Amino acid sequence: MERLTEDYRRQRALNGHWQFVTDPEYDGRSDDWYDPDADWPNRTHAVEVPCAWQEDDAYREYTGAAWYRRTETLELPAEERVLLRFGAVDYEATVWVNGERVGENRGGYLPFELDVTDAVVEGENAIVVEVVDPADISEIPHGKQGAPWYQRISGIWQDVTLEFVPETRVERLRATPDLDDDSARIDFDVAGVDDSSSVTAAVRITRDGDDAARGETAIDADGSGSLTVSIEDPTYWTPETPALYDVTVDLRRDGQVVDRYEDYFGMRSVEARDGRLYLNGEPYYMRGALDQGYYPETLYRPFDESLFEEEVRTAKDLGFNLIRKHIKPAHPDFLECADRLGILVWEEPANPTVHTDRSKREVREQIEGLLERDYNRPSVIVWSLYNEEWGIGNPQGLDEETSLWEDEAKQEYLADLYDDISARDPTRIVCDNSGWAHVATDVNDYHRYFVSPDRAGAWETDIDAMADAPEENYGATETDPDDAPIIVSEFGTWGLCDLPAVEAHYDGTPPWFDYDFFDDPIKRPEGVHDRLEETTLPDVFDDWESLAEAWQWREFRSIKDVIERMRAREGVAGYVITEFSDIEWEFNGMLDYRREEKVFTDDFARINDDVLVMVEPDSHAVGAGDTLTADVVVSNHTNEPLEGEVTWSFRGREGAVAIDRDGFGVTRVEDAISIAVPDVDDATTDELTVSLPGASSNAESITVVPDPSVDTDLTVAVDDDELASTLTAIGFDVEPSITDATDVALVADPDVDARAYVEGGGALVRLPDATGHMSDDAFFEYRDLPEDESWNLVASLFYRDDGPLAEYVDTVPGWELEGLYPYDVVADVDRDVDDVGVGYVEGWLANWSAAVTVRDHGDGRVGAFTFRVTDDGARANNPVGVAALAAFVTDLARD
């Protein structure tokens, strides 16, 4: 980040008032709007630059051409060049000064500058900019702008400046640290060199004002200069010690300083090898958060000058050491904060949709521009090239595109791009295609969206598969999968925002409520208040605030377990959670869209710390009189030795486990805790707590269920032999088929007799079959839920109404239903017809369904109980399932 030196370089800000007018018919050029004396249309008005034109509600949907104009009075000192610099303009910009076309730029995220020396005059100058952002952006690197994601961005959205610089000047500088011999190579390019023999460069490197190194070099005939300086006993840059070195280059001609150029860098190295990340030669574990960089109202721009600094500090307080700036280049002001305050950055370009000669060219140009702009930024340690095949494969299912998994030409192109970028920047690691279908990459990263505890077992299986067969995440293996660290670079769970507070922030309905391109109901907030009233959620939660709070705690419970299972494995080298803050309709952030904390902020920081102590029980639900067994696991992300005792407690029982580790890694003590569970009168949930000096305490909830025996004379018909044995053992009179004596029938596959039984006034419970699914649509219509990873599931919420399950199941079910969460839910629920015991919604209260419900049918009553109590292993390991089913059956018989 070039620092202007007042004696040699001056800057004049052109932010503020500009005239602005849209040009939907593209009349501007033919009507000479670039002429200083041109009359613009009456709809012309003033805007404050920088801003995206979509910040004005009138232009939310506008695409096409727009024009900006500003008049500036200048004094022009002799022998200076005048540069007009734009921080970023989306997307195609053409610039005129005093009617003279001075240049153009294509690309929405990076800076460009134009030498306007020959166009400016002493006195008044007219600067005109035409910006074109077309409706079709499929070939344009645009990231998540537009369908099916977020708001489009167009116009001059970063700073505009005039810079007055010497004729002979340093144009760019690269500082390349070498930690092997504690040196730094300084390379720079010089413009305006007529006779290189008369120009020399003096380089000074300082830290906190004190000299660290000096050197001098001649300038080559091509205007380049280079020298390597040693830095004695340097302080390496890390998030914990963000030491920065200032570098100053003085250009001298005949002994006189003609230009002074300043920047900064850090002594930092990063490597990926042997399945592990290394920062400055030491093992390092990535704990990151994905950040989309959108803001309410100001969109790509922070809404407060101090916001970037506050974001970095908040991220560090939450235990993160990295921010993944997602699918568009980071704002340069954010990087300055990251460098200064100490947090790593994973940076990536915006991606297009399709793979064409133009899109390939513009992606490459953008990456090269990123390298030039941010080469000296020590916080940036990873470049991504593509994300999830966007613009190189076919995740969108387009007819004209082919998959990176199979297309050898695309694989070869990607491998060549990886080789080129790696050669251009040896100071960082490169990820070729974030998420899957790797070809040539330094990190093997995965995008995995599992919700826990609902799919905790599937997540466990998935993590093991990553370590066992890393090559399965590759479309081709131009680099070694066994060498690349495994990073889960996307995962997360939704936690509903405080919508009334968000609406108050916007003083009404947010503009992202009803995008025309929404085709997935879980993403569409419009109508959410009406949908709320169509569910039974108002019967369970007092207001929106209490619903949001409960949902946010579900978010925390899920991401806590997902993180802990990664941190408990040596084979995982880091993670990046989705995401740092909510963004528009997507409420999966640690913070909400306004950057306000969610309810679990303090608790999350505990499980995202350098050292994490964990307890892994064999089961989170145990019967009174059984034995609770648990492993103790310590994840140490420091390189310091760790020894001491992990103490534990549960329901008045206490103990200790010795821990001894040299440093960095995972220590597991199997069966470290074994507790005889005492009798209880009622089902109760307590915490099994573990503590280690120097680390935050941690806990797992354990539900203890009393003797499930029932005192009843009910006769139940059960068509599952194993379940029949279980129910017999707890006191039900069980028969294999429906008879005149049947009080309640429990059926996975209702036959004609079962249907007639209900029609005639009987009570029947539909249960899952042996696969965990509801076998047909008898009595209810079902919607299947994915058995493993699912974006819909991480956006979902189960909730329990008052009723027979209340003794065993929390209002928002948690670990008490471990292993029992359904693969199907009742889809055709109606609050006026159904008695919903456990409801289910996704996203913005879409797809309302039920896991447990009862309705009238004929003269009888029929219930659906979709929790997987027919899974023999799950039922045996979780007594809550049997107890809850028994309570449900008893209540249905009573009805």
Side-chain angles (χ1 to χ4, degrees):
M1 181 178 297
E2 174 194 350
R3 296 172 177 171
L4 296 178
T5 52
E6 187 172 344
D7 291 341
Y8 302 95
R9 295 164 176 252
R10 295 177 296 108
Q11 184 181 84
R12 182 165 181 163
L14 299 185
N15 293 345
H17 290 302
W18 288 64
Q19 290 179 295
F20 174 82
V21 64
T22 57
D23 185 13
E25 302 300 325
Y26 292 85
D27 295 326
R29 295 204 185 195
S30 59
D31 291 347
D32 300 339
W33 288 3
Y34 49 81
D35 190 286
D37 297 322
D39 290 328
W40 282 17
N42 291 334
R43 64 180 181 276
T44 301
H45 63 280
V47 296
E48 293 292 313
V49 169
C51 70
W53 70 56
Q54 289 86 354
E55 294 179 38
D56 185 333
D57 288 342
Y59 304 112
R60 280 272 172 180
E61 305 301 324
Y62 180 73
T63 56
W67 291 70
Y68 297 80
R69 180 169 64 186
R70 178 184 175 104
T71 300
E72 197 74 14
T73 302
L74 301 176
E75 296 180 3
L76 300 177
E79 299 182 0
E80 282 191 333
R81 306 301 294 179
V82 183
L83 308 179
L84 178 57
R85 190 178 192 279
F86 295 83
V89 180
D90 196 324
Y91 187 71
E92 298 179 31
T94 305
V95 184
W96 292 263
V97 174
N98 297 325
E100 178 182 340
R101 182 168 171 168
V102 294
E104 57 278 321
N105 183 75
R106 176 183 282 177
Y109 299 92
L110 296 174
F112 64 96
E113 65 183 26
L114 305 169
D115 190 326
V116 299
T117 308
D118 296 334
V120 294
V121 297
E122 188 83 14
E124 190 173 273
N125 292 265
I127 302 170
V128 177
V129 183
E130 179 204 41
V131 179
V132 177
D133 198 17
D136 182 0
I137 55 176
S138 59
E139 287 187 284
I140 291 174
H142 60 272
K144 284 192 169 181
Q145 291 188 46
W149 296 100
Y150 317 125
Q151 176 64 56
R152 284 285 300 268
I153 307 293
S154 308
I156 305 173
W157 67 273
Q158 282 192 32
D159 295 338
V160 186
T161 55
L162 277 173
E163 296 182 5
F164 302 87
V165 298
E167 180 87 25
T168 301
R169 64 190 181 277
V170 176
E171 282 198 313
R172 61 186 58 86
L173 179 148
R174 280 189 169 198
T176 305
D178 186 340
L179 272 58
D180 289 337
D181 61 3
D182 288 338
S183 66
R185 190 181 76 245
I186 310 299
D187 299 297
F188 46 89
D189 296 329
V190 178
V193 179
D194 296 326
D195 180 5
S196 64
S197 63
S198 67
V199 180
T200 60
V203 176
R204 180 189 181 203
I205 296 175
T206 61
R207 178 159 182 253
D208 297 333
D210 297 327
D211 277 4
R214 286 179 179 266
E216 190 167 326
T217 184
I219 304 302
D220 294 338
D222 63 357
S224 64
S226 180
L227 79 162
T228 299
V229 295
S230 296
I231 300 177
E232 184 176 354
D233 193 23
T235 301
Y236 295 155
W237 189 98
T238 71
E240 297 75 26
T241 57
L244 297 175
Y245 286 85
D246 294 305
V247 55
T248 302
V249 178
D250 281 355
L251 288 184
R252 295 191 174 109
R253 178 185 282 120
D254 300 328
Q256 298 295 315
V257 176
V258 296
D259 183 37
R260 176 167 294 151
Y261 185 99
E262 295 181 347
D263 199 353
Y264 69 86
F265 69 99
M267 294 294 289
R268 187 268 299 132
S269 70
V270 59
E271 301 170 85
R273 54 180 167 83
D274 303 324
R276 183 164 280 178
L277 292 172
Y278 292 85
L279 186 67
N280 304 333
E282 295 191 339
Y284 203 83
Y285 195 95
M286 181 184 294
R287 302 192 306 273
L290 182 144
D291 181 30
Q292 313 265 10
Y294 267 80
Y295 301 93
E297 298 164 334
T298 54
L299 303 176
Y300 274 3
R301 300 184 301 113
F303 51 76
D304 186 275
E305 287 186 2
S306 63
L307 184 58
F308 284 149
E309 181 165 323
E310 291 174 8
E311 286 183 323
V312 172
R313 293 188 186 279
T314 298
K316 289 172 70 79
D317 288 344
L318 286 167
F320 294 115
N321 55 31
L322 176 138
I323 294 291
R324 179 184 170 204
K325 283 293 187 176
H326 191 39
I327 273 197
K328 63 182 176 68
H331 196 294
D333 293 346
F334 178 88
L335 294 181
E336 188 276 332
C337 290
D339 293 336
R340 177 167 47 85
L341 300 177
I343 198 164
L344 301 169
V345 177
W346 180 331
E347 199 168 5
E348 51 199 28
N351 287 162
T353 304
V354 297
H355 191 67
T356 64
D357 289 342
R358 175 182 175 178
S359 73
K360 287 190 294 184
R361 180 178 65 253
E362 294 198 23
V363 166
R364 177 181 284 273
E365 290 171 353
Q366 186 184 183
I367 296 170
E368 291 173 353
L370 259 179
L371 264 65
E372 179 173 327
R373 189 193 72 173
D374 298 338
Y375 186 87
N376 294 338
R377 305 289 71 85
S379 59
V380 180
I381 65 162
V382 187
W383 300 123
S384 275
L385 307 180
Y386 286 90
N387 175 76
E388 294 182 352
E389 299 185 64
W390 296 12
I392 188 172
N394 193 21
Q396 303 91 350
L398 302 175
D399 292 339
E400 67 271 23
E401 286 292 348
T402 56
S403 171
L404 184 59
W405 288 103
E406 302 166 351
D407 191 317
E408 293 183 2
K410 289 181 176 179
Q411 293 170 359
E412 183 177 351
Y413 154 80
L414 186 58
D416 289 344
L417 184 59
Y418 163 85
D419 288 339
D420 184 33
I421 300 306
S422 298
R424 286 172 179 263
D425 186 358
T427 71
R428 294 176 174 92
I429 57 180
V430 177
C431 176
D432 58 348
N433 174 52
S434 183
W436 61 69
H438 293 298
V439 176
T441 185
D442 295 324
V443 293
N444 180 10
D445 72 323
Y446 296 74
H447 296 174
R448 289 289 193 265
Y449 287 94
F450 285 88
V451 63
S452 190
D454 311 28
R455 298 295 183 261
W459 173 228
E460 185 100 9
T461 300
D462 197 69
I463 306 176
D464 291 340
M466 294 178 196
D468 292 342
E471 69 280 359
E472 294 297 319
N473 206 33
Y474 284 66
T477 51
E478 297 298 320
T479 54
D480 186 0
D482 290 326
D483 200 42
I486 291 172
I487 306 288
V488 180
S489 59
E490 287 191 28
F491 70 97
T493 306
W494 290 33
L496 187 65
C497 61
D498 184 351
L499 181 58
V502 172
E503 290 173 321
H505 177 87
Y506 281 95
D507 194 24
T509 301
W512 38 265
F513 251 48
D514 57 351
Y515 287 144
D516 291 339
F517 53 71
F518 278 139
D519 55 6
D520 187 337
I522 75 171
K523 299 179 180 180
R524 190 177 187 91
E526 185 184 39
V528 66
H529 295 291
D530 293 335
R531 289 194 295 276
L532 174 67
E533 297 304 320
E534 293 168 359
T535 73
T536 56
L537 284 163
D539 300 335
V540 178
F541 299 98
D542 293 336
D543 50 29
W544 189 281
E545 184 179 0
S546 60
L547 169 60
E549 182 174 335
W551 204 326
Q552 289 174 23
W553 280 119
R554 168 177 166 79
E555 176 185 6
F556 172 70
R557 181 165 52 232
S558 178
I559 58 180
K560 174 181 184 293
D561 183 62
V562 172
I563 287 174
E564 287 180 342
R565 290 175 192 265
M566 288 186 282
R567 293 194 62 168
R569 285 165 167 74
E570 292 278 9
V572 177
Y575 53 80
V576 181
I577 193 169
T578 309
E579 54 197 317
F580 181 62
S581 71
D582 294 350
I583 170 171
E584 297 193 340
W585 50 266
E586 193 174 23
F587 53 79
N588 53 1
M590 302 293 99
L591 312 175
D592 74 9
Y593 195 25
R594 303 165 301 149
R595 277 32 179 202
E596 298 291 334
E597 293 181 353
K598 290 189 175 178
V599 297
F600 54 77
T601 299
D602 292 341
D603 292 80
F604 179 81
R606 292 189 296 103
I607 61 140
N608 202 37
D609 205 352
D610 287 337
V611 179
L612 175 65
V613 57
M614 297 167 276
V615 57
E616 293 186 0
D618 289 348
S619 175
H620 288 79
V622 294
D626 292 342
T627 299
L628 171 62
T629 304
D631 294 354
V632 167
V633 184
V634 177
S635 174
N636 179 13
H637 292 167
T638 75
N639 290 292
E640 301 299 322
L642 189 66
E643 60 178 312
E645 285 191 336
V646 174
T647 56
W648 59 264
S649 63
F650 178 69
R651 293 181 62 84
R653 309 290 181 87
E654 297 179 346
V657 182
I659 296 292
D660 187 359
R661 183 174 184 88
D662 290 340
F664 199 89
V666 179
T667 300
R668 177 182 292 272
V669 182
E670 295 184 350
D671 298 335
I673 300 172
S674 182
I675 307 168
V677 179
D679 290 335
V680 292
D681 295 328
D682 300 299
T684 182
T685 298
D686 291 294
E687 290 191 334
L688 172 56
T689 301
V690 287
S691 300
L692 176 68
S696 298
S697 61
N698 201 355
E700 291 294 315
S701 64
I702 305 295
T703 298
V704 180
V705 181
D707 182 346
S709 297
V710 294
D711 181 14
T712 180
D713 56 0
L714 290 178
T715 298
V716 296
V718 184
D719 65 357
D720 179 294
D721 291 342
E722 296 297 328
L723 181 60
S725 298
T726 300
L727 295 179
T728 299
I730 65 173
F732 283 102
D733 184 6
V734 178
E735 53 190 10
S737 58
I738 297 172
T739 69
D740 291 342
T742 300
D743 293 301
V744 181
L746 282 66
V747 181
D749 187 11
D751 56 17
V752 173
D753 291 340
R755 298 170 195 236
Y757 167 72
V758 177
E759 293 278 356
L764 180 141
V765 177
R766 286 294 319 275
L767 296 175
D769 61 21
T771 69
H773 289 278
M774 308 304 283
S775 62
D776 60 31
D777 286 345
F779 307 115
F780 302 95
E781 294 178 9
Y782 298 100
R783 186 165 64 88
D784 68 297
L785 303 181
E787 296 185 21
D788 43 42
E789 183 192 22
S790 167
W791 205 70
N792 285 54
L793 287 184
V794 299
S796 70
L797 178 80
F798 286 99
Y799 65 95
R800 188 244 332 130
D801 203 341
D802 289 338
L805 274 61
E807 181 182 351
Y808 305 102
V809 179
D810 200 355
T811 304
V812 174
W815 282 104
E816 71 274 17
L817 292 174
E818 181 180 13
L820 301 175
Y821 282 90
Y823 292 157
D824 294 290
V825 286
V826 176
D828 61 334
V829 285
D830 183 334
R831 65 170 293 129
D832 296 326
V833 172
D834 296 289
D835 182 6
V836 176
V838 177
Y840 173 86
V841 290
E842 293 175 349
W844 289 94
L845 311 190
N847 301 327
W848 182 47
S849 309
V852 178
T853 191
V854 177
R855 67 174 51 149
D856 293 333
H857 186 84
D859 292 333
R861 293 272 279 168
V862 59
F865 193 96
T866 67
F867 290 105
R868 292 181 289 116
V869 291
T870 51
D871 181 322
D872 296 341
R875 186 175 66 249
N877 291 326
N878 190 339
V880 168
V882 174
L885 177 61
F888 181 69
V889 168
T890 302
D891 188 72
L892 183 60
R894 185 182 302 115
D895 286 347

